[in-house]
Structures are given as C-alpha cells and as structure tokens.
Amino acid sequence: MSIELDELQRWKNQLEAEKEELENIAKMSKEEIERLKIRCDTLEGAVWSWRIKDEKAAESFSNQANELRGAIEQKETAFKTQFREIRSRVNEIDRLLTTIEARIAQI
C-alpha cells in the first residue's frame, strides 16, 4: 500500500469513530431526557394517588414534579443546541468520508 492510501485509511477510521461517538452522545442525551420524563410522570401520578391519603405528601410530590419539569425543559433546550452541533459535525464528517472514499477508489 502507498503512504497516501495508509494515511487516507487512517483518516477514514478516525472520522468514522468520531461520527459513532457523536451519534452515541446524542442518543444517550435523548434517552436521559426520556427517563426524566417517565420519572416526572410517575411523580405526577403519585400526586393524584396521595391527595386522598396525605395532602402534604401530595404537595411534596407536586413540587418535585414541577422542579423536574423545569429541569427537563432546560435539558431539552441544551440538547437541541447540542444536537444541532452534532448533526452539523456528522454532516461534515460524511462529506469528508465521501471525499476520502473517492480518493481511495482512485488509488
């Protein structure tokens, strides 16, 4: 193999690894938000079941659910920004990979 081909393969492997890592970060962030939403729904469900038994406990669950909703909204906003940045980088990586693969095919 030529030195150029070795170098192109190395770059291709690095870019593919970076792309996979970025996609995993986006997936994990999205899954974390989904877990928080489920937790919040559970707390809100607890509010209704505890209203009859213990008004103070219900109030506590309600406050926790409201705080969690606020945190979820902040995470979603941050995730949207992060996701746009990740998508942009992944698109850039895809363009570079296309160029590298075309050059490898020429060699």
Side-chain angles (χ1 to χ4, degrees):
M1 277 194 204
S2 72
I3 294 173
E4 181 182 8
L5 184 57
D6 289 343
E7 189 68 18
L8 288 170
Q9 277 302 137
R10 188 177 64 77
W11 274 100
K12 180 181 175 188
N13 293 340
Q14 286 178 339
L15 289 169
E16 287 172 341
E18 181 182 352
K19 179 180 175 180
E20 183 177 345
E21 183 179 336
L22 289 170
E23 288 172 342
N24 285 338
I25 289 169
K27 181 182 174 191
M28 288 175 12
S29 296
K30 189 173 184 176
E31 288 172 352
E32 178 184 1
I33 290 170
E34 289 306 312
R35 282 192 304 273
L36 289 172
K37 285 181 178 180
I38 290 169
R39 183 173 168 213
C40 190
D41 290 343
T42 302
L43 282 170
E44 288 173 341
V47 168
W48 294 110
S49 65
W50 278 90
R51 277 220 195 272
I52 298 168
K53 299 174 188 172
D54 185 344
E55 187 65 33
K56 288 183 181 181
E59 185 70 27
S60 175
F61 289 139
S62 178
N63 291 338
Q64 289 177 28
N66 288 335
E67 289 174 14
L68 191 52
R69 281 275 177 231
I72 289 169
E73 288 175 13
Q74 289 176 347
K75 279 196 171 290
E76 285 180 320
T77 300
F79 173 71
K80 287 175 185 174
T81 300
Q82 179 188 35
F83 188 74
R84 278 192 301 273
E85 293 168 359
I86 287 173
R87 263 306 123 215
S88 176
R89 180 63 182 146
V90 166
N91 289 337
E92 180 183 345
I93 288 171
D94 284 338
R95 285 190 298 275
L96 289 169
L97 286 172
T98 300
T99 303
I100 289 170
E101 288 167 355
R103 181 64 186 136
I104 288 172
Q106 292 175 353
I107 295 179

